[in-house]
Amino acid sequence: MEQRLVIFDCDGVLVDSETLSAEVLRTMLVAAGLELTPAETLSLLRGRKVAVWVQELGGRLERPLGEEFITEFRRRTLDAFTDGLRPVPGVHELLAGLSVPYCTASSAPREKILHTLSLTGLLPAFDGRIFSAYEVGSWKPDPDLFLHAAAHLGAAPHNCAVVEDSRVGVQAAVAARMAVFGYAPPENGTAAELAEAGATVFTSMSQLPALLDGWLATTPVSPAAQASVR
């Protein structure tokens, strides 16, 4: 059988970082003169390139926020992570039971990925299998990051499954022609949008092993094979 690969997003899938990041951002935006709800802030940054949503916020404020805003945001989030970051519930147990190769592919800079995985005790599980969009020069919803990770680890796209919690991440996986499972805990309120984007949705990490087992039990069909029967 051809090699299978599970590709995990990092923020919001492996580490419970997005709520902390959103609270830091909300505080900074109040000081800048813009008030957003927790849900609005989380939706703004989830799975997206920082420079993109900073530019959007500058448009709403009618003035650019600039690189100093990004630098301060990163500094404050690192402080928040050091004090309160936790792994997503059930992730350690999930990884311990996986029988298929896996990696993480994130829109975050490598330094942030290493920091958050280290703080949560997950770094040894991903040694040598960490991929950052900043190193590829392409961000979700483009599929390049996932395709790069798959190629580096010797897995064809149709033999890969992606675990994501954001719409743009699901869109990237669909564009890469990979199976995609959307993590949508009830408090996120994202189940409908992830399903609409093309994900098989689950609400707890305890549900993911059965979904992956079902995926592993299937025989993926390559794009070339699909084309040959048309």
Side-chain angles (χ1 to χ4, degrees):
M1 180 181 290
E2 295 180 340
Q3 177 169 303
R4 301 289 190 98
L5 176 68
V6 180
I7 304 174
F8 291 93
D9 179 39
C10 186
D11 293 304
V13 171
L14 298 175
V15 298
D16 198 8
S17 56
E18 291 179 329
T19 301
L20 293 173
S21 296
E23 189 54 39
V24 167
L25 180 57
R26 282 189 72 227
T27 300
M28 293 179 66
L29 289 177
V30 168
L34 179 63
E35 293 195 27
L36 299 179
T37 67
E40 287 172 333
T41 312
L42 195 55
S43 177
L44 180 76
L45 59 78
R46 180 180 282 128
R48 306 178 72 211
K49 184 181 180 182
V50 172
V52 172
W53 54 255
V54 166
Q55 184 177 27
E56 291 176 4
L57 289 171
R60 296 178 67 169
L61 287 164
E62 299 184 344
R63 66 179 188 277
L65 290 172
E67 285 299 320
E68 67 278 3
F69 184 90
I70 296 176
T71 299
E72 180 66 7
F73 170 74
R74 293 200 190 284
R75 185 191 68 77
R76 292 195 191 187
T77 53
L78 286 178
D79 289 344
F81 293 163
T82 299
D83 292 337
L85 187 64
R86 300 289 183 271
V88 166
V91 158
H92 278 286
E93 295 81 0
L94 169 70
L95 296 177
L98 277 184
S99 60
V100 61
Y102 60 86
C103 67
T104 183
S106 169
S107 292
R110 172 171 285 268
E111 293 78 10
K112 178 188 175 185
I113 303 170
L114 293 172
H115 185 63
T116 57
L117 292 179
S118 178
L119 286 172
T120 53
L122 291 167
L123 186 57
F126 289 92
D127 184 35
R129 289 170 287 121
I130 295 171
F131 302 93
S132 166
Y134 283 81
E135 296 166 348
V136 177
S138 180
W139 282 261
K140 306 165 188 176
D142 293 332
D144 298 356
L145 175 60
F146 292 149
L147 293 172
H148 170 76
H152 187 85
L153 295 174
H158 64 274
N159 283 319
C160 296
V162 174
V163 184
E164 267 285 354
D165 73 321
S166 69
R167 175 187 286 272
V168 292
V170 171
Q171 290 170 333
V174 170
R177 298 192 176 185
M178 298 176 178
V180 56
F181 300 99
Y183 177 53
E187 62 270 21
N188 281 13
T190 54
E193 69 175 281
L194 296 187
E196 182 183 13
T200 298
V201 173
F202 66 103
T203 59
S204 166
M205 285 296 165
S206 64
Q207 299 170 343
L208 187 55
L211 293 173
L212 291 176
D213 285 346
W215 168 68
L216 288 168
T218 65
T219 302
V221 180
S222 70
Q226 290 176 336
S228 70
V229 298
R230 288 174 184 164

